[in-house]
Amino acid sequence: MLTYNLDIEQGSLWLRTTPNEFALKQPFYLTEAGIFIAHDEFSTKRDYKDSYLLFYTIEGCGIIEQGNVTVHLHENEALLMNCRTPQAYYTDSEAGKWTHYWAHIDGSGIAALESLLIPEHRITAFETKRSDLESRFNQLLKELENTSANTILSESLIIHMILNDLIIRNSVSYSRNQQLIMKTADYITAHYNEPFDLDVLLDLANMSKSYYMRLFRQYIGTTPYNYMLNLKITKAKELLEITDLSVHEIAMETGFSDDASFSTRFSSIVKTCPLKYRQKAITKIQSKR
């Protein structure tokens, strides 16, 4: 099943070709490609297509969904998707526009790289360098309808260069991104008892909200807010065990707005209320004497 709405501007481009026998023997080959200046009603949903689809955003933002994964593909980000499982993609309504290159590609070479480009079969956004990727996409579009052997070999090489660049940049940016995420986690740890401010974290990481949230969950295993909340509760447990501070004082010390909010959050995570937790801790200490 395929449904789509081509809400695209004049000047968008959609080219198709039928790979010949020589092209099909190459590690990488192209079947169709284009550049869409898509508005907010642009969308595509399909169950199956026998190819991979490569996206590259140059302006605005697109949303790609496959399985239980949703990726916001921002400017200068690229993504490879295996279209052999159901997928949907559309313009992010908040952005209002999604200008993007796209190419349906396949070949034995892509299958060999799939584990790196679609880790754990989860679509993933890759950071890119605009000047390099844009020129390579333009070259693909220029040569798409030429079926000479030299052009086919050139297309295969260009696709390989694009995919290889994404892998290399990702491996380099992995460490950098991890350091930025850990920097924000350290900030949360140092300021856990202050009001949560996501904008401060985004400024520290210099990332878009969706990209930051995805990376934080990838590296830390939870959301920034839940990470902060767990720090609050851990500190509260410590204060309940080793001090005589009242529940109200501990709530204020750990940055909760009031006693009720503290008790509700504590009970939800620890599965008992603060006073019962303190009583149990005291009993445990006395039993060891």
Side-chain angles (χ1 to χ4, degrees):
M1 182 186 74
L2 170 65
T3 59
Y4 60 88
N5 181 25
L6 286 182
D7 182 18
I8 57 178
E9 281 187 20
Q10 186 176 2
S12 297
L13 187 64
W14 184 353
L15 301 175
R16 301 178 180 88
T17 187
T18 301
N20 58 27
E21 184 177 353
F22 180 74
L24 293 175
K25 291 180 180 179
Q26 304 310 310
F28 307 94
Y29 62 85
L30 189 63
T31 58
E32 53 184 310
I35 176 171
F36 283 170
I37 308 167
H39 293 289
D40 56 2
E41 296 297 322
F42 170 82
S43 66
T44 297
K45 184 177 182 179
R46 70 162 62 86
D47 289 336
Y48 180 90
K49 185 175 177 66
D50 192 18
S51 73
Y52 292 81
L53 180 54
L54 179 63
F55 288 110
Y56 167 52
T57 299
I58 60 174
E59 183 183 7
C61 181
I63 299 176
I64 296 93
E65 299 175 347
Q66 189 171 51
N68 61 351
V69 181
T70 299
V71 173
H72 288 69
L73 199 68
H74 296 277
E75 182 177 342
N76 293 330
E77 291 182 347
L79 176 149
L80 182 71
M81 174 170 59
N82 190 336
C83 295
R84 293 168 178 85
T85 55
Q87 75 259 200
Y89 45 92
Y90 47 92
T91 300
D92 184 346
S93 59
E94 292 186 4
K97 176 182 280 190
W98 181 27
T99 304
H100 61 283
Y101 287 93
W102 59 273
H104 278 287
I105 55 182
D106 213 336
S108 59
I110 299 179
L113 297 176
E114 182 171 1
S115 63
L116 298 174
L117 293 163
I118 316 175
E120 299 179 355
H121 305 290
R122 295 170 60 90
I123 52 175
T124 301
F126 290 80
E127 292 182 335
T128 67
K129 184 177 181 181
R130 177 163 182 165
S131 59
D132 291 344
L133 203 58
E134 189 169 11
S135 64
R136 286 170 181 165
F137 263 104
N138 285 334
Q139 191 173 356
L140 281 179
L141 293 175
K142 182 179 179 180
E143 298 181 348
L144 180 61
E145 294 180 312
N146 189 330
T147 57
S148 70
N150 285 341
T151 299
I152 290 170
L153 290 171
S154 176
E155 288 176 356
S156 182
L157 178 60
I158 293 169
I159 295 170
H160 189 193
M161 292 170 66
I162 290 173
L163 300 180
N164 189 58
D165 183 64
L166 296 182
I167 292 170
I168 292 174
R169 284 188 178 279
N170 185 66
S171 64
V172 171
S173 65
Y174 180 93
S175 176
R176 183 178 71 252
N177 287 337
Q178 188 175 38
Q179 290 175 2
L180 290 172
I181 294 300
M182 294 309 298
K183 179 181 178 181
T184 65
D186 289 342
Y187 179 89
I188 295 172
T189 300
H191 301 269
Y192 76 92
N193 57 351
E194 299 176 8
F196 180 75
D197 191 339
L198 180 59
D199 288 337
V200 171
L201 303 178
L202 296 179
D203 287 342
L204 284 173
N206 193 27
M207 297 176 185
S208 68
K209 179 180 177 181
S210 59
Y211 190 57
Y212 172 74
M213 296 295 284
R214 178 165 62 82
L215 288 183
F216 194 96
R217 183 178 287 278
Q218 177 182 337
Y219 295 132
I220 306 298
T222 187
T223 65
Y225 180 80
N226 283 338
Y227 181 74
M228 178 200 68
L229 186 59
N230 286 331
L231 290 172
K232 289 178 181 288
I233 298 303
T234 298
K235 183 62 176 180
K237 288 165 67 175
E238 177 185 339
L239 294 174
L240 286 166
E241 291 175 10
I242 66 174
T243 75
D244 294 327
L245 294 174
S246 67
V247 169
H248 172 74
E249 290 171 323
I250 292 175
M252 297 300 101
E253 177 71 20
T254 52
F256 285 93
S257 57
D258 52 58
D259 297 5
S261 176
F262 169 56
S263 295
T264 298
R265 293 291 192 179
F266 190 95
S267 299
S268 175
I269 294 174
V270 185
K271 307 306 179 186
T272 187
C273 70
L275 285 177
K276 287 185 177 179
Y277 180 87
R278 169 172 273 171
Q279 292 169 357
K280 185 176 180 180
I282 292 173
T283 301
K284 185 176 181 180
I285 292 172
Q286 291 176 341
S287 67
K288 291 182 177 180
R289 291 176 177 174

